[in-house]
Structure formats: C-alpha cells, structure tokens
Amino acid sequence: MLFRSRLAGLILARLLSPLTSFLIAALVARHWGRSDLGQLHTILSWFALFQFVSVFGSAEYISREIGKEPERAGKYFSHAIFCVLLTSAVCIVFMLTVLSLFDYDDDVRSGITAVSVALPFGAGVIICHAVLAALGKIQYIALTSALESCVV
C-alpha cells in the first residue's frame, strides 16, 4: 500500500508540470495570439536550457550519494545547493551576455532577463526534489510540484 501511494505521488508530480504548461500555452495562444505564444516559448526555452546547464547532473549525483549514505544527506544537500547557486550565477552572466548578441524584441529581452533571475530558484527546486526522492519523501515532491504549478 505504501508503494502505491508513493507511486501515485510521483506520477502526480510528473504530470502536473506538463499539464499546467499545456494550459498556459493554450490560454496564451487563444487570448494573445501566435506571436506572443512564440515569444513565451522562446523565453521558456532559454530558461530550460540554462537551468539544465546550471544543474548539469547534480540532481542524479546527489540522489545516488544520498541513497548510499542517507545519514549524510544534509552535507550533500548543502554542497549541492552551493554548487548550483554558483553555476547559476555564472549562467546568468553568460545568459545575459549572449542575449545582448541576439536581435530580440524588447518584450522577449525583458522576459529572458526576468527568468534569468529565477534560474537559481529553479535549480534549487531540482536539487530539493532530488534529495526528497533519495530519502523516499515522494509525497513532498508531489506537494511542492502542485504548489509550483499553481504559482506558475
């Protein structure tokens, strides 16, 4: 029974993000039009790309290490957060530098600048989810994913 509730929580956590992304895309396309939908997806693509670079395998590594030594979870978590914040800061600088080379509209530039500020928070959420998954706290991942989806 415990396995089923953890599995249901994990499935719920994995389904919420794509469902809310679809709803947002549908609403933007319906009310604002194709051009704004393209701008939104450009901004989200920049965020996803640089978030991937800032985390760069840390979540998998920390999950594996905490799985081997759960009593040292705090140490691994603090080190991973520090590394992710450092790489996020480097990614923000690189992101804004590369952005200046592109000829985007002011709206897209403002959006990319805004999501660059959210980069450390998004990367931190990924690390938190990895720690919670390694410790078997799947229900907390589902809860935070639900809250995150509602905020977005």
Side-chain angles (χ1 to χ4, degrees), residues 14 52 55-67 126-127 130-131 134:
R14 298 292 180 195
F52 173 76
V55 173
F56 201 64
S58 297
E60 291 79 11
Y61 175 74
I62 195 170
S63 291
R64 186 187 70 193
E65 293 302 316
I66 290 175
I126 291 173
I127 295 299
V131 170

Side-chain angles (χ1 to χ4, degrees), residues 65-132:
E65 293 302 316
I66 290 175
K68 286 193 275 185
E69 299 178 278
E71 65 278 356
R72 297 180 61 173
K75 179 180 177 184
Y76 288 120
F77 174 72
S78 62
H79 285 90
I81 287 291
F82 175 75
C83 289
V84 164
L85 290 177
L86 184 64
T87 57
S88 292
V90 171
C91 282
I92 289 170
V93 170
F94 185 70
M95 188 178 190
L96 296 177
T97 304
V98 171
L99 177 63
S100 66
L101 302 175
F102 286 89
D103 187 32
Y104 285 133
D105 291 340
D106 289 336
D107 292 338
V108 176
R109 285 181 182 275
S110 300
I112 292 172
T113 303
V115 298
S116 71
V117 174
L119 197 59
F121 300 105
V125 166
I126 291 173
I127 295 299
C128 290
H129 283 191
V131 170
L132 290 171

Side-chain angles (χ1 to χ4, degrees), residues 32-70:
W32 291 345
R34 290 181 293 183
S35 176
D36 289 337
L37 180 64
Q39 290 178 350
L40 174 68
H41 282 289
T42 300
I43 293 166
L44 293 177
S45 295
W46 275 69
F47 179 74
L49 175 69
F50 282 96
Q51 184 179 35
F52 173 76
V53 171
S54 68
V55 173
F56 201 64
S58 297
E60 291 79 11
Y61 175 74
I62 195 170
S63 291
R64 186 187 70 193
E65 293 302 316
I66 290 175
K68 286 193 275 185
E69 299 178 278

